[in-house]
Amino acid sequence: MDSSNGHKPAPAHRLLTGRREPLDRICNIVRNRTSQAVFVMAGPGIGKSSLTEAIAERLAGDMHILQIHASSALTAVPFGVLTPYTADLTAEESVSPVAVLRSMWTYFEKLKTGAGSQVLLVVDDAHHLDDASAGVVADLISAGWATVVAAARPRPGLPQPLDQLWYDGLAERVDLRPLNREQIEEVLAHVLDGTVPAATVDSLWSASGGNPRILDALLHDAAEAGILSKRNGIWILLGSLPADGARLTAVVAKDHLRRRPEEQEALKLIALAGPVGRKVIEDICGAPVVRSLLDQQMVVETSGVPAELSMWNALFANAIRNTISVSRSLQLQERTRAHQDGIVLRGEGRLRSVEWALECGLRVPDADLLEAACEALARFRNDSAASIAARVQDPAMAPMARAVHARALYNNGAYADAAALLDGCWLQLADDPQGPAVLLLRVSAHQAAGHQLAAVAEDVREHTGRSADGPRTWQEEILHLLQSGAEVDYRALAAEVETIRNRSSPEADVEPIGAVGEALLAHALTAAGRPAEGLDAALLAASELPPLEDSLFFFPEFVLGRLVISYLAMGEWESAERELDSYAAGHATGAATFDGSLQVLRGYSLLKQGRMERAYQLLLPAVEALRLNDPLQLFRFGSSLGFYVAARLGDSAQARRLEQDYKDAVAGGPAHDLLAGAYAAAAAEYLSRDGKGIASLHTMMTAAEASGRAGHLLELLAVCWDLGDPSVIPMVQDAARDVQGRWAAAMLTLATSWEAADGDALMETAASLEASGFVNLAREAYARASSVLEHAGERRRSRQAVAQRERCDHELGERFREGRFIAAAPAVHLTRREQDIVELAVQGLTDREIAQKLMVSVRTVEGHLYRTYVKLGVRSRDELESALPK
């Protein structure tokens, strides 16, 4: 495994990577002289200085570049920034606009005499220009003596003489906005050598607010602290982004130094107290200061009564707080509190109030601590929730505080510590409305820590025993549901769920127990080949979620996984994706905890659709994320899927690593899972091609475990068939008839047409499958049709089938698939990946350079080149170009 050492962000012109469009636009304006001036407007840190430097660098070969750096120190000095061009003037002339303008014209003419090129005057921080200098620059533009690119902040904006040129249509204006997510992704791809998963992109985008300067600081600080780490070629975040790093601290200090004292004071108060009432800050610092900070977009105002102010960026606020001493913070708190009398703080404002008091060393009542800890937990501010909850001492509140602390630890992947805390409080919360959630969390924590469900269940029974003739306790109901779910016993689950639903007088704890039961039943029904019924159960469980959103157990995610699996078993790819997107949009704060699990589900969906390369791009980062934090216990399943796609795509190095991950998870993770074992066996067969993987799959098919799981059995058969084992086709037909859903029907159609070996029927089947969204199955039908038609002597129609199959390959994004039918196709064909590699090889790139460019292993490049040599009948690179198809 890679460590973070030696894997730091590469120094580069990183801030310009996401600014190519404005850079190209401005350079084209200047070159073509469509305008005599371009004004670049952007807030601090958005990248205007870097952009002007890049403009000067790009145009240096075409024009004479003169640069002016305005500063606040020279704002009061007339013509101060123009001194380099007025050195020959007398003292009297140096304050004359006409003399200064004449001197600059003379300077420009001398430059042009040498090479005849035009002059480009680049002015940075133009908002600091004194009015006299701004007037001269405006005259230069109007007279056409020079082209000007001036960069300035929207507040206070350009001096009036330059601003007027834009109003008069004599200058172009380009407004730089914060980088959007796609631009952040582009920057990271340029700066970081390796794969940057979506979760890392999202975290850096959210934390930086799209501000290039803050992004640059975060990248350096996170890499220096080892938080941004490269693991197995994947850049992942090992914790929260640092707010106390040297680079970010320097950015904050520089921003503070350029502000007026009253603005500095207001920013400190808002950073410490925010969200804080606008009137409170106005009473302390004055309404003009607040308006100025709002104009500069340093603070944002939330609607509501009363209106509240917050810093524009949470990490920036944290960095400001880190610069304030405890004694100064205490002074500011007392000052703020004097203006908050009668104001009831709620939500994040209440949480921040408690955090601030603790930072100042003040005592906070236990009730307020517990409330704040729950608020922090709801916002997935896990470190804060754990720290606050640990301070609760009241015996009556301590059990709930420990449960909150445990959930915060669970969110951070500290499962053993969470289990230990829950062991000491779950029984005391038996009568609390959160009791079922706490018990479920305890069971999950123990399982995630590698403990068996049976051992946890036995401990629970010992402490919640009932009399021989007494009714079952709710704890026993939960354990019975979990055990039946682990056994994938849908009949036992259905009976239990029916009992829960039919209670005449439901207790307060019935809703969470019912939701868990329905979700487990959905999974069991899906495994049994009844995904339509499973989907109904999962949707019923989802309908119970709204009152459970803030529970100590992760009910939404628990249900989501079962719902998505049911949709995938049905072949409803778009519905599954919609559910995942809907969850992600509404639960962004929990991304650090659950994103790895979601990406496994997305990767599984793509795998089932036959989109192997896209699945691979998701599954590798997902496995790395789950290595750190696996709340839904999907590491074993995810590593088996990653192992499968890596082996299938020919990346044997990654496949071997993921195989070891899978084996390690078997030894210390959750109980054996049939599908994980099947994909691992298939992956091993792709690697070795020794028949052992197929034999393992056949053993699984005949095992008792598969006999009651028609849905899982059909998936096993599909995997085995995909390996090139036609003996399973009759079994596919038998199994598919007993499984609900579009996917099973599509498999039955393909298997039936395959056996019939009728070229016309196969072409019709392929077209029907393609129209229904089963493009991977359509591809196989076209491949089979091409072979059948070729043997029948219908070569023209066989070539049509090959073309249709290749279109399916393109639709699926396949580049170097070595499927079971490709070799049987009558046409010699280079895959897209082979074409990419050969093109780069012909250009003279080495195997390692090609691997780096295409983000694959060197062995993958070598393997594809070798197969290309065989296809084209050549022996070396030197013969490639002449042998390529024209």
Side-chain angles (χ1 to χ4, degrees):
M1 179 185 297
D2 296 338
S3 68
S4 60
N5 294 332
H7 295 282
K8 303 292 176 62
H13 228 354
R14 61 168 59 87
L15 302 184
L16 288 174
T17 306
R19 298 298 192 196
R20 291 176 181 170
E21 190 276 331
L23 175 61
D24 293 341
R25 178 186 168 192
I26 294 169
C27 288
N28 287 335
I29 291 172
V30 173
R31 281 197 181 104
N32 299 329
R33 306 198 71 178
T34 54
S35 181
Q36 199 66 28
V38 181
F39 299 149
V40 181
M41 309 301 292
I46 299 299
K48 61 184 181 301
S49 296
S50 297
L51 183 61
T52 55
E53 289 175 10
I55 293 168
E57 182 179 333
R58 180 179 288 190
L59 298 177
D62 304 324
M63 307 180 76
H64 292 294
I65 310 296
L66 301 178
Q67 291 183 292
I68 294 176
H69 295 276
S71 70
S72 57
L74 292 175
T75 301
V77 181
F79 307 115
V81 298
L82 302 180
T83 301
Y85 312 108
T86 60
D88 295 335
L89 297 179
T90 65
E92 292 77 10
E93 291 174 330
S94 65
V95 294
S96 166
V98 174
V100 171
L101 188 61
R102 186 184 300 114
S103 176
M104 295 198 70
W105 178 81
T106 302
Y107 189 93
F108 293 166
E109 287 302 303
K110 287 180 180 178
L111 287 176
K112 293 178 184 179
T113 301
S117 301
Q118 295 297 313
V119 174
L120 174 64
L121 183 63
V122 179
V123 185
D124 196 17
D125 285 341
H127 51 280
H128 287 314
L129 283 176
D130 61 278
D131 288 340
S133 297
V136 168
V137 173
D139 289 339
L140 290 173
I141 295 170
S142 299
W145 291 351
T147 303
V148 174
V149 173
R153 292 176 183 163
R155 299 288 187 277
L158 288 164
Q160 193 276 333
L162 295 178
D163 213 20
Q164 188 63 46
L165 291 178
W166 179 65
Y167 282 113
D168 293 343
L170 299 179
E172 293 274 352
R173 173 169 169 157
V174 175
D175 289 280
L176 292 186
R177 305 296 182 190
L179 299 175
N180 59 32
R181 189 193 181 283
E182 290 72 23
Q183 290 169 325
I184 292 283
E185 188 171 21
E186 182 185 356
V187 170
L188 296 178
H190 179 71
V191 173
L192 302 177
D193 177 24
T195 300
V196 186
T200 302
V201 175
D202 289 338
S203 293
L204 287 164
W205 178 42
S206 175
S208 68
N211 185 296
R213 187 167 62 181
I214 293 181
L215 175 64
D216 185 52
L218 286 177
L219 285 172
H220 275 94
D221 290 344
E224 288 295 330
I227 292 172
L228 179 61
S229 177
K230 189 177 182 183
R231 301 290 182 90
N232 298 309
I234 311 295
W235 286 96
I236 58 175
L237 293 171
L238 304 182
S240 300
L241 288 164
D244 57 353
R247 291 293 185 99
L248 186 58
T249 300
V251 169
V252 171
K254 183 177 180 180
D255 179 84
H256 255 37
L257 287 174
R258 69 177 182 80
R259 296 191 180 280
R260 293 175 291 147
E262 56 269 29
E263 287 184 346
Q264 293 182 27
E265 188 83 347
L267 286 173
K268 289 177 181 178
L269 283 169
I270 297 169
L272 287 165
V276 59
R278 175 172 178 168
K279 187 176 185 305
V280 172
I281 303 301
E282 286 181 338
D283 288 346
I284 298 173
C285 302
V289 173
V290 171
R291 285 196 298 271
S292 174
L293 292 175
L294 286 168
D295 285 344
Q296 297 173 57
Q297 299 180 333
M298 287 303 298
V299 300
V300 293
E301 183 177 16
T302 56
S303 58
V305 181
E308 293 183 324
L309 299 177
S310 300
M311 291 293 298
W312 74 276
N313 179 281
L315 207 63
F316 203 86
N318 289 340
I320 290 177
R321 290 199 289 268
N322 288 333
T323 65
I324 304 171
S325 67
V326 173
S327 59
R328 179 62 177 144
S329 181
L330 185 57
Q331 289 176 346
L332 293 172
Q333 186 185 65
E334 292 173 352
R335 190 176 180 188
T336 304
R337 188 182 298 158
H339 293 270
Q340 287 182 321
D341 289 343
I343 297 177
V344 179
L345 298 175
R346 294 184 176 86
E348 188 174 2
R350 180 63 179 156
L351 168 59
R352 183 60 210 142
S353 174
V354 171
E355 289 176 332
W356 192 7
L358 295 175
E359 289 165 7
C360 293
L362 301 178
R363 186 185 181 283
V364 179
D366 281 354
D368 292 346
L369 288 173
L370 184 54
E371 181 185 349
C374 291
E375 183 68 31
L377 187 63
R379 297 174 182 276
F380 280 85
R381 285 164 54 174
N382 300 310
D383 293 341
S384 181
S387 174
I388 295 173
R391 296 171 180 268
V392 175
Q393 300 297 319
D394 188 329
M397 301 179 189
M400 181 56 69
R402 291 193 189 99
V404 171
H405 188 177
R407 175 59 197 272
L409 292 173
Y410 190 93
N411 287 346
N412 283 339
Y415 303 121
D417 293 339
L421 275 176
L422 291 163
D423 287 346
C425 71
W426 72 275
L427 197 56
Q428 296 164 281
L429 295 169
D431 296 327
D432 191 278
Q434 287 273 17
V438 172
L439 177 58
L440 286 164
L441 184 63
R442 182 185 182 225
V443 174
S444 296
H446 275 285
Q447 287 187 297
H451 306 148
Q452 295 298 315
L453 174 60
V456 183
E458 183 60 30
D459 177 68
V460 171
R461 290 192 184 96
E462 286 181 7
H463 289 86
T464 59
R466 58 184 170 91
S467 59
D469 57 349
R472 281 195 309 184
T473 64
W474 62 261
Q475 290 95 337
E476 289 178 307
E477 279 189 337
I478 287 179
L479 290 171
H480 185 68
L481 285 171
L482 294 176
Q483 287 174 323
S484 297
E487 295 164 3
V488 201
D489 186 346
Y490 77 89
R491 292 183 177 85
L493 284 166
E496 188 73 19
V497 169
E498 186 69 17
T499 299
I500 294 171
R501 295 298 178 199
N502 288 338
R503 286 178 180 155
S504 56
S505 300
E507 300 171 1
D509 55 33
V510 169
E511 281 187 350
I513 295 177
V516 169
E518 293 286 0
L520 292 170
L521 177 59
H523 180 75
L525 286 167
T526 298
R530 302 163 71 172
E533 298 172 44
L535 183 59
D536 290 340
L539 290 171
L540 185 57
S543 71
E544 303 254 358
L545 292 179
L548 302 174
E549 280 284 344
D550 294 329
S551 174
L552 288 175
F553 182 68
F554 39 92
F555 289 103
E557 295 77 18
F558 187 86
V559 171
L560 176 70
R562 277 81 183 167
L563 179 60
V564 169
I565 292 296
S566 295
Y567 273 127
L568 294 181
M570 293 275 291
E572 304 288 351
W573 322 128
E574 292 180 359
S575 296
E577 190 67 22
R578 184 179 63 249
E579 292 295 339
L580 290 168
D581 288 343
S582 176
Y583 170 87
H587 297 79
T589 54
T593 298
F594 291 102
D595 189 72
S597 303
L598 263 63
Q599 296 310 315
V600 164
L601 293 173
R602 291 185 192 276
Y604 181 42
S605 173
L606 291 168
L607 185 156
K608 290 207 67 171
Q609 295 174 58
R611 303 179 188 276
M612 295 298 164
E613 286 202 11
R614 288 181 58 197
Y616 194 37
Q617 292 166 6
L618 290 181
L619 287 169
L620 257 67
V623 170
E624 293 308 314
L626 292 180
R627 197 186 304 281
L628 300 172
N629 195 345
D630 185 19
L632 300 183
Q633 299 169 53
L634 288 177
F635 180 74
R636 179 172 181 273
F637 185 54
S639 60
S640 73
L641 298 180
F643 177 23
Y644 176 79
V645 293
R648 179 161 172 171
L649 294 177
D651 193 345
S652 56
Q654 287 280 27
R656 293 296 185 192
R657 181 182 62 77
L658 290 161
E659 179 182 24
Q660 191 59 52
D661 285 337
Y662 167 77
K663 290 178 178 178
D664 292 343
V666 169
H672 175 74
D673 179 83
L674 187 62
L675 289 182
Y679 282 108
E685 181 66 24
Y686 275 114
L687 284 183
S688 63
R689 290 294 184 181
D690 58 4
K692 292 180 180 179
I694 291 179
S696 295
L697 285 166
H698 278 272
T699 300
M700 293 179 197
M701 294 172 203
T702 57
E705 188 178 12
S707 61
R709 306 189 198 176
H712 285 177
L713 175 60
L714 182 59
E715 194 159 347
L716 262 68
L717 291 166
V719 170
C720 197
W721 188 9
D722 207 46
L723 278 165
D725 181 5
S727 70
V728 301
I729 296 176
M731 297 172 66
V732 169
Q733 292 176 280
D734 291 340
R737 292 189 183 98
D738 296 328
V739 176
Q740 300 170 343
R742 297 172 63 248
W743 179 71
M747 288 295 296
L748 177 59
T749 300
L750 177 61
T752 302
S753 296
W754 194 282
E755 288 281 87
D758 182 314
D760 292 333
L762 280 163
M763 290 294 285
E764 291 178 7
T765 294
S768 174
L769 290 170
E770 189 176 3
S772 299
F774 298 100
V775 181
N776 58 327
L777 301 185
R779 173 183 58 195
E780 310 305 1
Y782 283 128
R784 172 69 164 165
S786 71
S787 181
V788 169
L789 291 169
E790 175 73 10
H791 288 309
E794 299 187 44
R795 293 189 175 180
R796 182 183 63 81
R797 296 197 62 212
S798 176
R799 288 195 294 272
Q800 290 177 346
V802 170
Q804 297 288 74
R805 187 207 71 219
E806 290 177 352
R807 191 186 70 244
C808 290
D809 280 339
H810 180 75
E811 166 67 18
L812 293 170
E814 292 282 30
R815 293 182 178 228
F816 54 103
R817 178 177 181 271
E818 294 296 330
R820 58 189 183 279
F821 307 118
I822 300 299
V828 174
H829 170 67
L830 294 184
T831 65
R832 286 170 58 194
R833 176 64 88 190
E834 288 169 346
Q835 291 173 14
D836 292 344
I837 291 175
V838 168
E839 181 180 345
L840 295 173
V842 169
Q843 293 174 15
L845 273 69
T846 66
D847 290 355
R848 183 168 297 280
E849 289 171 337
I850 295 172
Q852 291 175 346
K853 191 172 186 65
L854 298 181
M855 293 177 63
V856 298
S857 70
V858 175
R859 186 173 294 182
T860 296
V861 173
E862 293 170 346
H864 287 300
L865 280 175
Y866 174 78
R867 283 189 287 273
T868 302
Y869 294 165
V870 173
K871 287 182 179 182
L872 299 177
V874 301
R875 292 172 293 177
S876 68
R877 286 180 180 233
D878 297 335
E879 300 174 18
L880 267 180
E881 187 170 6
S882 59
L884 286 175
K886 305 299 182 184

